[in-house]
Amino acid sequence: AQGDVIKIGLISSLTGAVSTYGQSVRNAVTMAVDDINAAGGINGRQINLVILDDKGDGTEAAQAARRLIDRENVALILGPVITPCVMAVAPIAQAAKVPMLTPTGTGDEITSIGDYIFRGAYKDSFQGRIMAQFAAVNLGLTEAAIIYDVANDYSVGLRNAFKATFEELGGKIVAEESYSTGDTDFSAQLTALAMRNPQALFIPDYYSTAGPILMQARLMGMDAIMLGVDGWDSPDLSALAGGFEEGGYIVNHYSADVDSPVTQEFIARYTAAYGQAPDALAALGYDGALIVAKALEAAGSTEPEALKQALGTVKGIDGVTGTINMDPEGTPIKSAVILQSTGGKWELVDQVDPSGR
Amino acid sequence: MPTTAELMVSNLSVQFGGLKAVNEVSFSLQPQTLAGLIGPNGAGKTTIFNALTGLCPVSGGEISFGDQRLTNQPPHTIARCGVARTFQNIRLFKNLTVLDNLRIAYHKNRQYSLLCSLFRSPRYWREEEQITARAKEALELVGLATKAEHLAGSLPYGEQRRVEIARALMLSPKLLLLDEPAAGMNPQETLTLLELIRRLRNELKITILLIEHDMKLVMNLCERLFVLDYGHLIATGDPKAIQSNRRVVEAYLGGTGA
Amino acid sequence: MTLLEVEGLTVHYGVIQALKGISFRVEQGEIFTILGSNGAGKTTTLKALSGLVPKSGGRVFFEGRDITTAPSHTLPALGLVHVPEGRRIFAGLTVADNLLLGAYHRRDKAGIKEDLESVYELFPRLAERRKQDAGSLSGGEQQMLAMGRGLLSRPRLLLLDEPSMGLAPVLVEEIFRFIQEINRRGTTILLVEQNAHLALEIAHKACVLETGRVALSGAAREVAADGRIQEIYLGAG
Amino acid sequence: MSWHIAALQQLVNGLALGSVYALIALGYTMVYGIIKLINFAHGEIYMLGAYFGFYALTLLNLSLLPAMLLSMAAAALVGVLLERVAYRPLRNSPRISVLITAIGASLLFQSTAQLVFGASFKPFPQAMPFRRIQLGPVFITNRQLLIFGVAVLLMILLHVLVTYTKFGKAMRAVARDKEAALLMGINVDRIISATFALGSALAATAGILVGMYYNRIDPYMGMMPGLKAFVAAVLGGIGMVPGAVLGGLLMGVAENLVVTLGSSTLRDAVAFAVLIVVLLFRPTGLLGKKGIEKV
Amino acid sequence: MVKPRLTGLIKIILLLCIYGVVRLLESRGLLLPYHVQVLSLCCINVILVVSLNLINGFTGQFSIGHAGFLAIGAYLSAFLTVKMHVPFLAAILCGGLLAGLAGLAVGLPALRLRGDYLAIATLGFGEIIRVIILNMEAVGGAKGFSGIPKYTTFGIAYLTAIITVVVIRNFVHSDYGRACLAVREDEIAAESLGVNSTYFKVLAFALGAFFAGTAGALFSHYLQYMAPTPSQIGFVKSIDILIMLVLGGLGSLTGSVIAAVVLTIIPELLRGFAEYRMIIYPILLIVVMLYLPAGLMAGRELSLDSLARLCKGVKSSAHYS
Ligand SMILES: Nc1ncnc2c1ncn2[C@@H]1O[C@H](COP(=O)(O)OP(=O)(O)OP(=O)(O)O)[C@@H](O)[C@H]1O
Ligand SMILES: Nc1ncnc2c1ncn2[C@@H]1O[C@H](COP(=O)(O)OP(=O)(O)OP(=O)(O)O)[C@@H](O)[C@H]1O
Ligand SMILES: [Mg+2]
Ligand SMILES: [Mg+2]
């Protein structure tokens, strides 16, 4: 039965507190796989997607990975979604020599676990640096404050990178506050930040938390320039932020203004299929599947060594999040854009060449 | 082993908030006496027991037993000094077997160490056997040898009282305090109990102090009585004297008393 | 008139059969006492009557009405009130609140007030302490409170379980006087007692339970005269 | 902003956050008071209340007050059913077994809500205009004021209910001794159901107000606040109505004070440390009475 | 009754057989590394549940912060093997010992707090540990601690689990264990019988924490990565352990073992059901609790004796039918 289908495993957080992100990824990956299969599959072989839940927990993710590798004999693992799960799965995949690609894992150290580990997203350090450069150079800011989630690796990683670069460029982080995943009240931290009157506030977190922070900050009378990251990208941000994202800047993979029909079509189809517009994680999930498909096609087999080789070298994938070129190190080389929210829409203000990293 | 220690209570006071439940009470108890503590409800009898066994803080006065000072010692220390008790509201370990209830009470005499128990050294086995044997002996004494494996909570009230006494005996006490041992027993059962208590004193040569409202039992059994009212000791003496004490009759015994 | 009629009542605790089919009748206006040694099933009988333990067989009629399966909380309104073993007063509530809870099912404000006053009259000591936390009362006072609380339900039949347990001799006398007084005021009483002496003295009729069966029953005086009873329960042996 | 004004502002923020905890803690304490159950599912009923409110406001287009009433009624129904199905059969079982079914119910509600309402964060309809009220150097928003006001008002109402009404006395009697309460003619089942209804309606009120306040709801929103509210209830002395509010407010203020003192990363740790220290000095919470155990 | 020596021997043989069978099936490819992995996790959970049973089940304290001890053992041992190159066995012991010390510290509030108040204090303690780890850069902070070598094999986990169960069983069946039971049943009565309840509460916490710490050490070298998340070392994990404990039956060691194994495997079986998994699991939990309110074993133990009796019963009933 090996001959006619290619088995791919997806580990995602379908239940638990981060399920909203996991479900976005699952939805998008399923859509991508259906698309590929409908278009005739890969080199004539259909993809068989096995989806396992990890509940957002590392132990569960490791269990799921073992099962995919040992019992399902998958050719490749897509996922997991959040870093604690990715970090638990990566050593297993590496040891078993089963290539793995996390569409969303951003922690710098992920890909250094081994040569079988790949990702589809930016590294935290890349994105954080881009935003810091933009703030210091393009906006000419000298002072900024940060509010971040100590319990979230993504947030911490971005904060570290932003802080380092911003200070390198002569800026000063005048205040810094943190909170924990699941918090909803940021008034204490924001009051402490407001006391320092920072020029800008960097909020490296997903839209679900960035939204309420933006709103609470503005309602408190804070008038700093708000700086964000790709996690802000969601149609729900505006409602969650009460419209107060207006004027803020984010780093993102793509821009609705400039982009390709691929992006537009994805947004339309995803919305039609799932009753809600895609967020950044959905976009990354879709592209993750595209990268994998392209690599499988290029490798021409499911042989791990070949597949690994292909994953590190596939180029020119026309994804939802822009053109993707993979790198043997495991992280894609993607362009980044800086968007500003104006009149309720994200508009392109700058484009950063990937070599700028 | 015969008891030679004497219980001395001098100016004992116990206070609960504004309430002086026990007020400057002094008495002493010669070794191997069988004595009774009586008085109206709320007079402070149980509270005196609690003070003697360290279950409630003493606000004034001194308690000594032989050459040991018991005042405000933690209960487990007092128990180790040889003072054992039963409770007015039976406090058996209801979910454990009768045998286990008794074996627990051997605690203070146990010799083997934690490591012995974790790795079950021969010493552990030897001593465990000994403990079980002792417990069975004690059960025999109160006439409950057949109930060793029953859950303590499943026994009828009267038997539970006797288990509690047997459990207290496992401590090899020198002083035994019994709080209303006959409560809820019918006259026949009370009689059996009376015999048991008398035998305990005679055979084990221990001092016994008991609280009881059943005047028949008290008058038949005790050699010496202490009468408490509103926290004050109002009379001391042998049963005859107490029975004819007008203050005691008024405060406690009433018309038909005894 | 027969107030309470019990026919072949059985009760199981798990596999243990605590009552093995007991029958008796209580007539209007009398004091009926149930005697028996520990574990004979006296408490169980009362609990079965007031629905606290499920009956596994038999029937119970109260004023001719079948109450075998009536839920406990509906019985006080019918006039069947149980003052349980061990008093079970509500600590943390005041004496007055405890008493008023006895009248929980009643709506006649005036009647409640009247009964409250008469309980205070019967037990002046409770009147002194109406605002006090019931948990801080002495044993005898708690027993009075429990009985007073029962009276506020306006019982036609009052089930009393060992009301003299743990009380000082003076109080025992007092409690028995109260029972007679309550009875004189028109309440029928079903009394469970360990103090057989006093119980038989004030009761009109009596029955003796032995391990879940009725061993003997009849007029109190006759029961008291029975040799076996003399020996076991009156300590005359 | 100077340092002490900021501290003052933090105090106000803390009180507002504390009101949120207090509001949830009230329902916790009611249920605990009567059956001594840490109703782990309370946080989820709060979440359901928020969703009911959300749909009443969006799908049914109701205005705030009717939406709130509808959500309270629906949450009350859920609470009563929950007690009926998962707690009542275990009334005579060890307390910890009920705790486990409560945890089970909490997980079940979370995942069912995720399935039915979707996993995503939903912005809550802003049914009330936003206003900022300046109080000298510090400010407070009208929503903070509303939550604080509602918490205090409910506390007073509940306190009166529990202390002075016949229902309240029956509740306390049931809490003390269910069997004896039955003998008083109290329908224990009904009183417990009513308490669950009340506690759940309180949770729904909290859900809507808090949803509106933070402008965000999701199926897992009950977890952390549920836990914190429970901690607050314990801090105040669980089972005591005023204790819930006191504990909540104190937790809120303490958390915000920790941030002011400059260690936001350790906020939760410090909050818990404070709790443990308070408990060591007052082992039954701030207002909790020491249970007198007569030996 | 079978003689103790004999039953001891039978038990040892049985346990060796189980190990042998697992190994055999593994070598034949009938058990995949995946299955063995699940079995290792079962063993780790057995240690956690049995050690919590000592605190909650036998000593009657209400701790819901057990994952805190696990965290200490997991992180310390990982730190030692990764950064200090300490041998694994020594690291396990150190993890256990530090957790045991923490247990002593937590035992102290247990002296003043009862029931739900103690529960909250232990929960708070667990969260404090987690937040501290979250803020410790030396062990990775929020990033988590990665690169832990995979030292935990099924054999080691299995052996440790057996040692834990045996030691705790021996403890429970000694005077020390009976003293704990007495504290659980009635502290006042226990004290008046000469049992120093303070000492035994703290002892139970320390001993329970020690084993939880060793479980933690096994766990971090099993997963090769630790993250300071609630589900891994926080209250979610603590509650998971508690669920297993109660489902097995408080005060029953065999119950704990069975529940730990079953509840580790069930989510695994349900994994393919995606979102429905987390609906099925709690329903199962509630239903089991409703039908077995005192847990699977309800305070009883499954012993060779009872098994023998059961077999005989089956045989004899078969004979008569
Ligand atoms: N822990 C306590 N806290 C407050 N008051 C108490 C406590 N223990 C006892 N009291 C009070 O102290 C007084 C004496 O109580 P105690 O139990 O000693 O009476 P007693 O003589 O044993 O009565 P009884 O014969 O009814 O058992 C009573 O008024 C009682 O309410
Ligand atoms: N909850 C219970 N579970 C199991 N058995 C019980 C229970 N309650 C009572 N029993 C048993 O039922 C029998 C009758 O008990 P009951 O309490 O009715 O006796 P009693 O006549 O009231 O005795 P006492 O004089 O001690 O109050 C006893 O054997 C007792 O052990
Ligand atoms: Mg007393
Ligand atoms: Mg009885």
Side-chain angles (χ1 to χ4, degrees):
Chain A
Q2 276 292 330
D4 42 0
V5 296
I6 301 174
K7 225 175 186 183
I8 293 180
L10 170 66
I11 303 174
S12 187
S13 311
L14 303 177
T15 61
V18 293
S19 53
T20 175
Y21 312 130
Q23 296 205 346
S24 285
V25 170
R26 191 258 319 258
N27 292 345
V29 170
T30 318
M31 200 167 112
V33 169
D34 287 348
D35 290 350
I36 293 163
N37 283 342
I42 290 165
N43 301 335
R45 291 161 72 184
Q46 294 278 301
I47 296 180
N48 179 1
L49 187 66
V50 183
I51 304 172
L52 294 183
D53 174 30
D54 68 22
K55 225 165 119 189
D57 173 47
T59 321
E60 298 247 352
Q63 238 35 289
R66 280 248 73 99
R67 173 158 158 168
L68 288 176
I69 294 168
D70 297 340
R71 255 184 68 180
E72 309 288 351
N73 293 313
V74 296
L76 175 145
I77 294 173
L78 251 173
V81 174
I82 60 167
T83 308
C85 296
V86 176
M87 294 300 289
V89 167
I92 295 173
Q94 179 66 29
K97 296 204 188 314
V98 173
M100 165 192 139
L101 181 137
T102 164
T104 52
T106 55
D108 282 13
E109 64 289 346
I110 291 176
T111 43
S112 59
I113 286 180
D115 51 351
Y116 281 85
I117 314 299
F118 298 86
R119 76 171 109 214
Y122 296 139
K123 268 188 187 179
D124 288 335
S125 58
F126 172 69
Q127 206 187 148
R129 188 174 320 152
I130 300 270
M131 188 34 100
Q133 277 168 354
F134 177 76
V137 179
N138 299 38
L139 296 178
L141 302 177
T142 53
E143 288 183 347
I146 306 177
I147 180 166
Y148 69 101
D149 182 348
V150 260
N152 180 354
D153 171 57
Y154 170 68
S155 195
V156 175
L158 286 169
R159 164 254 184 190
N160 292 345
F162 179 88
K163 187 175 176 178
T165 311
F166 194 68
E167 285 175 346
E168 228 168 72
L169 294 172
K172 192 167 173 252
I173 303 294
V174 289
E176 217 185 2
E177 293 289 339
S178 66
Y179 52 89
S180 272
T181 313
D183 281 356
T184 44
D185 192 298
F186 310 98
S187 57
Q189 291 91 333
L190 290 170
T191 301
L193 292 176
M195 236 172 82
R196 303 303 182 86
N197 253 322
Q199 288 178 322
L201 177 62
F202 182 50
I203 313 173
D205 206 339
Y206 295 120
Y207 67 96
S208 48
T209 309
I213 293 179
L214 282 165
M215 181 159 102
Q216 289 177 30
R218 289 295 191 219
L219 292 182
M220 188 166 276
M222 213 175 177
D223 51 10
I225 297 170
M226 300 297 179
L227 306 176
V229 289
D230 62 344
W232 284 26
D233 182 17
S234 159
D236 280 339
L237 175 75
S238 185
L240 286 167
F244 290 119
E245 80 284 6
E246 184 68 17
Y249 297 92
I250 59 169
V251 192
N252 206 359
H253 312 262
Y254 63 100
S255 145
D257 300 340
V258 285
D259 27 79
S260 55
V262 182
T263 313
Q264 300 295 0
E265 196 199 325
F266 170 71
I267 295 175
R269 283 179 46 229
Y270 186 98
T271 313
Y274 299 108
Q276 67 192 49
D279 53 13
L281 289 125
L284 288 171
Y286 193 85
D287 282 0
L290 290 189
I291 298 170
V292 165
K294 190 77 180 238
L296 281 165
E297 204 175 284
S301 84
T302 55
E303 208 270 310
E305 185 63 25
L307 198 49
K308 177 191 91 176
Q309 212 63 43
L311 271 170
T313 47
V314 284
K315 297 257 159 12
I317 300 158
D318 205 9
V320 175
T321 64
T323 305
I324 302 162
N325 299 317
M326 288 303 283
D327 175 304
E329 249 177 60
T331 303
I333 303 161
K334 282 203 275 195
S335 58
V337 294
I338 301 278
L339 307 177
Q340 182 178 27
S341 169
T342 20
K345 283 180 74 183
W346 289 105
E347 285 182 4
L348 182 73
V349 290
D350 195 12
Q351 202 146 13
V352 185
D353 182 6
S355 59
R357 65 194 178 117
Chain B
M1 76 206 104
T3 304
T4 53
E6 180 187 21
L7 177 72
M8 291 275 294
V9 174
S10 50
N11 296 320
L12 177 70
S13 295
V14 177
Q15 188 127 14
F16 294 115
L19 174 81
K20 222 165 190 173
V22 176
N23 206 338
E24 307 263 314
V25 168
S26 304
F27 64 91
S28 66
L29 211 52
Q30 290 305 314
Q32 299 177 46
T33 329
L34 223 169
L37 183 58
I38 60 173
N41 295 105
K45 304 179 296 294
T46 300
T47 306
I48 287 189
F49 269 25
N50 289 346
L52 289 178
T53 51
L55 289 179
C56 74
V58 168
S59 51
E62 285 291 324
I63 305 165
S64 65
F65 184 56
D67 49 8
Q68 285 151 321
R69 199 171 150 269
L70 302 187
T71 327
N72 284 332
Q73 295 289 327
H76 59 91
T77 312
I78 294 177
R80 282 167 180 268
C81 294
V83 181
R85 70 172 291 178
T86 66
F87 295 90
Q88 183 168 0
N89 313 310
I90 300 179
R91 297 193 88 117
L92 285 176
F93 307 122
K94 292 196 173 63
N95 301 316
L96 305 183
T97 62
V98 169
L99 194 63
D100 274 342
N101 265 273
L102 267 64
R103 290 202 289 193
I104 285 169
Y106 192 76
H107 181 69
K108 76 167 231 220
N109 302 322
R110 182 254 309 142
Q111 309 279 328
Y112 61 77
S113 69
L114 183 58
L115 282 182
C116 282
S117 78
L118 293 187
F119 300 106
R120 298 206 164 169
S121 68
R123 175 163 193 180
Y124 160 86
W125 287 111
R126 215 176 322 121
E127 214 174 317
E128 279 291 303
E129 235 162 72
Q130 219 172 308
I131 296 172
T132 309
R134 264 295 297 272
K136 291 202 164 141
E137 242 168 71
L139 279 181
E140 198 87 50
L141 198 62
V142 298
L144 289 173
T146 55
K147 305 270 169 130
E149 294 302 328
H150 287 62
L151 287 188
S154 74
L155 297 184
Y157 200 77
E159 294 184 357
Q160 291 195 16
R161 287 235 169 258
R162 280 187 280 156
V163 174
E164 219 187 9
I165 293 174
R167 186 177 72 176
L169 292 178
M170 286 294 287
L171 286 168
S172 345
K174 291 180 248 172
L175 171 65
L176 181 60
L177 307 173
L178 303 174
D179 198 345
E180 301 202 20
M185 288 191 178
N186 65 34
Q188 168 94 57
E189 291 166 329
T190 308
L191 218 60
T192 325
L193 181 75
L194 187 145
E195 288 309 321
L196 173 67
I197 295 174
R198 192 173 277 153
R199 232 177 60 224
L200 289 182
R201 199 276 307 267
N202 294 342
E203 286 177 15
L204 304 176
K205 309 257 184 284
I206 57 180
T207 315
I208 296 178
L209 177 63
L210 59 86
I211 298 176
E212 194 40 77
H213 286 306
D214 186 327
M215 280 311 110
K216 216 157 158 179
L217 178 108
V218 170
M219 297 300 170
N220 276 327
L221 188 63
C222 298
E223 291 144 5
R224 208 174 156 70
L225 289 179
F226 305 100
V227 189
L228 219 55
D229 191 21
Y230 287 109
H232 292 275
L233 192 64
I234 58 167
T236 313
D238 59 40
K240 278 241 169 52
I242 294 296
Q243 237 162 333
S244 52
N245 183 319
R246 203 149 46 84
R247 253 183 104 183
V248 179
V249 172
E250 254 168 47
Y252 182 61
L253 295 175
T256 58
Chain C
M1 196 191 98
T2 304
L3 193 59
L4 179 78
E5 190 173 352
V6 178
E7 279 179 17
L9 184 62
T10 60
V11 170
H12 284 82
Y13 290 113
V15 289
I16 301 167
Q17 190 172 22
L19 293 185
K20 300 166 182 162
I22 63 168
S23 307
F24 60 88
R25 276 161 182 253
V26 181
E27 306 296 330
Q28 176 90 50
E30 68 182 8
I31 298 181
F32 185 103
T33 184
I34 301 180
L35 306 175
S37 49
N38 285 128
K42 307 181 294 295
T43 300
T44 304
T45 308
L46 296 199
K47 283 188 165 180
L49 292 181
S50 62
L52 290 183
V53 298
K55 309 169 188 69
S56 47
R59 304 226 284 169
V60 180
F61 297 91
F62 183 65
E63 293 187 310
R65 180 207 288 252
D66 187 342
I67 58 159
T68 312
T69 56
S72 296
H73 65 87
T74 58
L75 296 174
L78 298 179
L80 187 143
V81 175
H82 180 177
V83 177
E85 190 173 20
R87 302 158 197 151
R88 312 284 283 267
I89 50 115
F90 301 112
L93 274 73
T94 62
V95 169
D97 281 347
N98 264 277
L99 289 172
L100 286 175
L101 276 169
Y104 183 77
H105 62 90
R106 294 171 60 182
R107 308 232 171 276
D108 54 328
K109 282 224 166 95
I112 295 174
K113 196 150 190 275
E114 201 176 289
D115 288 357
L116 193 61
E117 287 315 314
S118 78
V119 166
Y120 283 145
E121 187 197 321
L122 189 64
F123 305 115
R125 233 175 312 172
L126 295 183
E128 286 165 28
R129 306 184 175 198
R130 48 183 97 188
K131 293 265 175 277
Q132 198 175 321
D133 180 343
S136 71
L137 296 182
S138 80
E141 289 159 357
Q142 289 192 0
Q143 188 59 53
M144 291 176 202
L145 178 59
M147 285 171 62
R149 194 175 61 176
L151 290 179
L152 266 169
S153 296
R154 272 219 178 150
R156 274 193 287 287
L157 176 64
L158 192 59
L159 315 181
L160 294 175
D161 198 348
E162 303 213 28
S164 76
M165 169 126 114
L167 295 189
V170 252
L171 281 180
V172 175
E173 278 173 42
E174 217 170 307
I175 290 288
F176 274 85
R177 252 202 324 278
F178 287 138
I179 294 172
Q180 276 183 300
E181 175 64 24
I182 293 165
N183 178 246
R184 215 170 6 251
R185 293 183 188 192
T187 308
T188 310
I189 286 175
L190 178 54
L191 173 69
V192 163
E193 253 300 333
Q194 207 55 272
N195 198 330
H197 238 306
L198 283 172
L200 288 173
E201 212 163 275
I202 65 165
H204 306 104
K205 280 206 289 195
C207 90
V208 178
L209 289 188
E210 244 168 50
T211 56
R213 279 185 227 285
V214 178
L216 193 66
S217 69
R221 224 166 303 128
E222 291 163 24
V223 170
D226 188 284
R228 264 185 330 137
I229 296 303
Q230 283 274 326
E231 186 185 317
I232 301 179
Y233 300 103
L234 304 179
Chain D
M1 238 193 296
S2 77
W3 191 85
H4 15 319
I5 294 177
L8 213 61
Q9 181 65 53
Q10 289 294 35
L11 190 70
V12 173
N13 295 342
L15 286 174
L17 173 61
S19 310
V20 170
Y21 295 149
L23 213 48
I24 309 173
L26 277 172
Y28 244 122
T29 262
M30 294 294 288
V31 166
Y32 186 92
I34 197 157
I35 55 170
K36 302 284 173 287
L37 163 71
I38 305 172
N39 184 12
F40 256 89
H42 189 76
E44 275 57 50
I45 293 188
Y46 151 86
M47 175 271 292
L48 288 178
Y51 271 97
F52 293 151
F54 174 86
Y55 286 111
L57 287 166
T58 53
L59 283 186
L60 304 181
N61 258 323
L62 296 178
S63 59
L64 186 57
L65 211 59
M68 204 131 150
L69 290 176
L70 189 70
S71 151
M72 284 164 79
L77 190 69
V78 173
V80 169
L81 281 177
L82 172 66
E83 191 271 331
R84 201 58 245 266
V85 174
Y87 302 161
R88 189 177 298 177
L90 293 173
R91 206 173 279 162
N92 298 318
S93 308
R95 244 167 26 98
I96 194 145
S97 316
V98 197
L99 189 75
I100 299 298
T101 57
I103 293 173
S106 145
L107 294 176
L108 184 63
F109 283 145
Q110 278 174 8
S111 25
T112 313
Q114 184 199 311
L115 208 67
V116 176
F117 306 135
S120 64
F121 293 84
K122 284 196 173 21
F124 203 83
Q126 295 302 298
M128 207 174 87
F130 174 85
R131 218 166 288 130
R132 225 171 110 135
I133 301 158
Q134 203 68 34
L135 295 172
V138 298
F139 72 89
I140 187 166
T141 68
N142 56 340
R143 290 168 205 207
Q144 289 177 326
L145 215 54
L146 177 72
I147 290 188
F148 181 76
V150 171
V152 172
L153 183 74
L154 284 179
M155 175 188 84
I156 295 171
L157 285 181
L158 286 177
H159 186 68
V160 169
L161 178 85
V162 171
T163 322
Y164 301 107
T165 65
K166 193 165 160 177
F167 173 70
K169 284 172 192 168
M171 268 179 65
R172 284 190 289 153
V174 170
R176 282 283 163 188
D177 189 336
K178 287 182 193 52
E179 222 171 56
L182 274 177
L183 296 180
M184 301 299 107
I186 297 171
N187 188 338
V188 170
D189 286 340
R190 194 179 299 161
I191 297 282
I192 292 179
S193 289
T195 309
F196 265 88
L198 192 64
S200 306
L202 288 171
T205 315
I208 292 184
L209 289 177
V210 176
M212 208 160 74
Y213 179 36
Y214 293 128
N215 188 30
R216 172 182 102 168
I217 60 176
D218 73 288
Y220 296 90
M221 68 186 273
M223 217 157 65
M224 273 324 273
L227 200 67
K228 292 257 178 84
F230 168 44
V231 171
V234 170
L235 185 65
I238 191 157
M240 318 285 298
V241 171
V245 172
L246 181 66
L249 293 181
L250 214 73
M251 282 260 302
V253 170
E255 285 192 359
N256 279 20
L257 235 52
V258 173
V259 174
T260 316
L261 296 180
S263 73
S264 54
T265 55
L266 289 174
R267 183 170 92 159
D268 286 354
V270 174
F272 274 114
V274 168
L275 169 89
I276 292 175
V277 171
V278 169
L279 283 185
L280 285 183
F281 285 98
R282 294 206 53 108
T284 50
L286 292 168
L287 299 185
K289 287 202 195 76
K290 210 168 160 192
I292 318 166
E293 191 174 11
K294 278 193 78 179
V295 184
Chain E
M1 205 174 83
V2 200
K3 287 202 187 78
R5 281 276 149 90
L6 186 62
T7 52
L9 202 65
I10 296 177
K11 278 175 198 164
I12 291 174
I13 292 172
L14 262 176
L15 290 172
L16 282 176
C17 281
I18 292 177
Y19 181 75
V21 167
V22 168
R23 273 286 132 98
L24 187 76
L25 290 178
E26 197 187 356
S27 65
R28 290 286 160 84
L30 289 171
L31 275 182
L32 301 170
Y34 162 63
H35 298 122
V36 179
Q37 192 81 3
V38 173
L39 288 179
S40 307
L41 191 61
C42 286
C43 293
I44 294 173
N45 283 337
V46 163
I47 302 175
L48 288 170
V49 179
V50 166
S51 60
L52 184 64
N53 205 345
L54 180 61
I55 301 172
N56 286 18
F58 290 100
T59 317
Q61 304 303 297
F62 190 4
S63 166
I64 47 173
H66 212 50
F69 303 128
L70 166 113
I72 293 174
Y75 272 89
L76 179 68
S77 63
F79 183 80
L80 290 177
T81 53
V82 174
K83 305 264 159 89
M84 306 271 157
H85 309 289
V86 170
F88 184 39
L89 271 182
I92 294 182
L93 268 182
C94 289
L97 285 176
L98 188 66
L101 275 181
L104 277 181
V106 186
L108 294 177
L111 305 179
R112 277 180 69 78
L113 304 179
R114 305 245 132 158
D116 301 332
Y117 292 94
L118 177 60
I120 276 299
T122 54
L123 177 98
F125 156 80
E127 285 306 285
I128 290 173
I129 297 280
R130 191 175 74 80
V131 173
I132 289 176
I133 290 174
L134 193 59
N135 283 284
M136 263 165 64
E137 281 310 316
V139 291
K143 271 202 333 264
F145 194 155
S146 55
I148 306 170
K150 184 154 183 89
Y151 287 151
T152 303
T153 58
F154 171 70
I156 291 178
Y158 185 66
L159 185 67
T160 316
I162 290 174
I163 292 176
T164 306
V165 174
V166 170
V167 166
I168 290 185
R169 182 208 53 177
N170 289 355
F171 178 83
V172 168
H173 290 285
S174 74
D175 179 74
Y176 292 87
R178 285 195 296 267
C180 288
L181 286 181
V183 171
R184 172 188 84 184
E185 290 288 306
D186 186 335
E187 210 175 316
I188 289 176
E191 277 276 336
S192 75
L193 294 173
V195 175
N196 184 346
S197 57
T198 306
Y199 174 80
F200 284 97
K201 282 189 207 169
V202 174
L203 181 64
F205 263 102
L207 209 56
F210 171 82
F211 285 111
T214 58
L218 294 176
F219 184 65
S220 57
H221 291 84
Y222 153 90
L223 196 60
Q224 299 177 264
Y225 170 74
M226 290 301 299
T229 57
S231 66
Q232 210 155 86
I233 63 166
F235 70 96
V236 175
K237 180 73 184 173
S238 293
I239 285 178
D240 268 352
I241 306 171
L242 184 75
I243 290 175
M244 292 180 185
L245 171 63
V246 177
L247 217 73
L250 284 167
S252 165
L253 291 177
T254 36
S256 292
V257 174
I258 295 171
V261 172
V262 169
L263 286 193
T264 309
I265 292 177
I266 285 186
E268 218 39 63
L269 295 178
L270 295 176
R271 190 175 301 285
F273 292 92
E275 289 100 318
Y276 296 96
R277 179 164 77 119
M278 285 315 291
I279 292 183
I280 301 170
Y281 179 75
I283 289 180
L284 271 179
L285 206 64
I286 295 174
V287 169
V288 172
M289 253 16 268
L290 289 180
Y291 286 95
L292 296 168
L296 291 172
M297 297 302 297
R300 290 183 307 264
E301 296 289 353
L302 193 65
S303 65
L304 284 177
D305 273 351
S306 61
L307 270 182
R309 235 174 286 139
L310 201 71
C311 290
K312 257 184 224 152
V314 170
K315 246 186 243 157
S316 59
S317 68
H319 179 76
Y320 288 119
S321 62

